[in-house]
Amino acid sequence: MCPHRVVLEHVTSRWGVLVLMELLERPYRFSELRRAIGRVSEKMLTQTLQTLERDGLIHRDAKPVIPPRVDYSLTDLGREAAAQVRALALWTAERMPDVDEARRAYDEARTEKARAR
């Protein structure tokens, strides 16, 4: 598989998109980020953060304090990726009525075709 396709999968994964969009607003601690995203398991969030950190999109700042404090933020590269993801999310929201109409027309055509058989 092409390396750029692997990164594209990381950025556009279910949790990757949400992590990037949240971190575009501000840095988060792990538990804050998990609450902000909602319905993501600790394991999946950890894996997503590690993957995006390895790709150079996220910075993990572990502070040597008790209790431990870890903050996550976007790198410059991550901000670029997050801006692109956000643009796609905004386009999706704006064009959802058109998508709904296309789905309705498709479903109606399929139903009519099934009835004709």
Side-chain angles (χ1 to χ4, degrees):
M1 185 181 265
C2 298
H4 70 276
R5 289 180 68 184
V6 174
V7 174
L8 183 62
E9 285 182 14
H10 297 164
V11 169
T12 60
S13 71
R14 177 180 184 181
W15 303 117
V17 166
L18 297 175
V19 165
L20 290 171
M21 287 180 52
E22 284 297 329
L23 290 177
L24 194 53
E25 301 304 318
R26 66 177 179 86
Y28 278 88
R29 295 180 70 179
F30 184 89
S31 57
E32 290 178 314
L33 186 57
R34 187 167 178 217
R35 279 192 302 275
I37 291 172
R39 298 189 333 174
V40 60
S41 70
E42 187 173 317
K43 178 182 176 183
M44 281 309 305
L45 182 55
T46 298
Q47 287 177 351
T48 301
L49 289 167
Q50 287 173 344
T51 299
L52 295 174
E53 181 183 10
R54 182 171 183 257
D55 289 342
L57 304 176
I58 288 180
H59 175 71
R60 181 180 185 272
D61 183 22
K63 301 203 181 351
V65 295
I66 305 284
R69 179 184 173 108
V70 179
D71 293 310
Y72 294 92
S73 60
L74 293 175
T75 62
D76 289 342
L77 191 61
R79 274 189 287 285
E80 283 182 46
Q84 298 299 318
V85 167
R86 182 171 59 185
L88 181 58
L90 291 172
W91 175 86
T92 303
E94 290 171 9
R95 301 301 292 202
M96 201 60 215
D98 299 313
V99 171
D100 286 337
E101 177 58 29
R103 288 176 175 173
R104 187 195 58 71
Y106 177 88
D107 292 345
E108 285 178 6
R110 298 272 303 199
T111 301
E112 289 300 318
K113 190 174 183 180
R115 286 183 190 156
R117 288 184 191 172

